[in-house]
Amino acid sequence: DSGVTQTPKHLITATGQRVTLRCSPRSGDLSVYWYQQSLDQGLQFLIQYYNGEERAKGNILERFSAQQFPDLHSELNLSSLELGDSALYFCASTLSGTSYNEQFFGPGTRLTVL
Amino acid sequence: AQRVTQPEKLLSVFKGAPVELKCNYSYSGSPELFWYVQYSRQRLQLLLRHISRESIKGFTADLNKGETSFHLKKPFAQEEDSAMYYCALSGEGQGGSEKLVFGKGTKLTVNP
């Protein structure tokens, strides 16, 4: 699959725990975006990386962090999890980070915090 | 501040009827507007963007800067159009990123 991939598909964990979500961008894409989708807030932009560097930050909590590795895959780390962190987490990729490019989305990771 | 409003959470029409999904935005600069669609059990994908001025699957959307709107229209809805539709705005962020600001989405159901 040459599209955006995300692992795991589903994640169930307990409050206070820490999880890592993984995203591999489309082949050749340099920019990765992370979004959180919850029932009440809709799709919210969290953070963007471009070629390994943080490019923009959105409504990302301090308990959350991300990074993009030299092979361009990205990880979103969520710690001290709370019930309200239960959501679908999407990543998207684009070729560049400076023009109005179409973003290609992954299938998402559904996180459930019990 | 960048904001996208989709006033209708749910929209139900009959097959063959016209459909219009409303989108209003708030942005001080020159935005790039998109419509993304998510069909059942599929990933979010781009439907169309205003700069392309194209018609995809019979859908069109015109950017009205005076009314700050980007409504999505189709003259004759089909059952396969049933999906979740998101209007999104891309504007300049720090460092020139194009983060997307999404509306909360409209679930379109086309009844037979």
Side-chain angles (χ1 to χ4, degrees):
Chain A
D1 184 1
S2 58
V4 178
T5 59
Q6 289 187 248
T7 56
K9 264 189 173 176
H10 303 278
L11 201 46
I12 301 174
T13 188
T15 54
Q17 295 299 304
R18 173 190 167 94
V19 297
T20 297
L21 312 183
R22 184 188 167 106
C23 168
S24 291
R26 288 189 323 156
S27 177
D29 283 356
L30 301 177
S31 196
V32 170
Y33 302 75
W34 284 98
Y35 294 89
Q36 179 193 57
Q37 184 180 40
S38 58
L39 278 172
D40 53 342
Q41 294 293 323
L43 264 164
Q44 299 261 314
F45 168 71
L46 295 178
I47 196 164
Q48 179 207 2
Y49 279 82
Y50 175 73
N51 206 19
E53 300 287 325
E54 182 185 303
R55 196 67 178 261
K57 254 182 175 176
N59 302 321
I60 187 166
L61 300 171
E62 284 191 19
R63 300 182 286 108
F64 296 1
S65 65
Q67 58 185 130
Q68 187 179 27
F69 294 86
D71 67 352
L72 300 175
H73 91 271
S74 178
E75 291 181 358
L76 179 67
N77 300 296
L78 316 176
S79 61
S80 303
L81 285 167
E82 301 175 0
L83 296 177
D85 297 328
S86 295
L88 256 174
Y89 292 84
F90 289 103
C91 81
S93 73
T94 62
L95 173 61
S96 75
T98 57
S99 61
Y100 297 130
N101 288 333
E102 172 181 357
Q103 293 191 12
F104 293 88
F105 283 79
T109 292
R110 182 173 292 282
L111 173 67
T112 303
V113 182
L114 301 174
Chain B
Q2 301 170 18
R3 179 177 289 179
V4 176
T5 304
Q6 292 179 252
E8 304 136 331
K9 251 186 163 177
L10 304 169
L11 185 61
S12 184
V13 300
F14 286 102
K15 176 182 169 181
V19 62
E20 182 180 48
L21 292 90
K22 290 185 167 46
C23 171
N24 288 90
Y25 67 91
S26 172
Y27 183 63
S28 55
S30 287
E32 173 76 9
L33 275 298
F34 303 83
W35 277 98
Y36 278 79
V37 61
Q38 189 170 28
Y39 300 102
S40 179
R41 296 198 180 90
Q42 294 187 30
R43 58 186 71 188
L44 199 62
Q45 58 188 284
L46 179 68
L47 179 62
L48 54 78
R49 53 196 297 179
H50 95 265
I51 203 167
S52 302
R53 295 180 176 270
E54 57 196 343
S55 173
I56 303 291
K57 299 185 179 182
F59 284 98
T60 58
D62 291 317
L63 178 62
N64 185 324
K65 290 187 177 180
E67 294 183 358
T68 59
S69 69
F70 188 56
H71 303 327
L72 183 68
K73 299 176 186 178
K74 184 168 182 176
F76 308 103
Q78 302 299 315
E79 289 180 68
E80 55 265 30
D81 296 328
S82 296
M84 194 75 183
Y85 291 81
Y86 294 93
C87 182
L89 175 155
S90 176
E92 288 291 321
Q94 66 182 66
S97 82
E98 315 80 55
K99 67 172 188 176
L100 284 176
V101 176
F102 284 88
K104 293 200 174 180
T106 297
K107 184 173 181 180
L108 173 66
T109 302
V110 181
N111 300 298

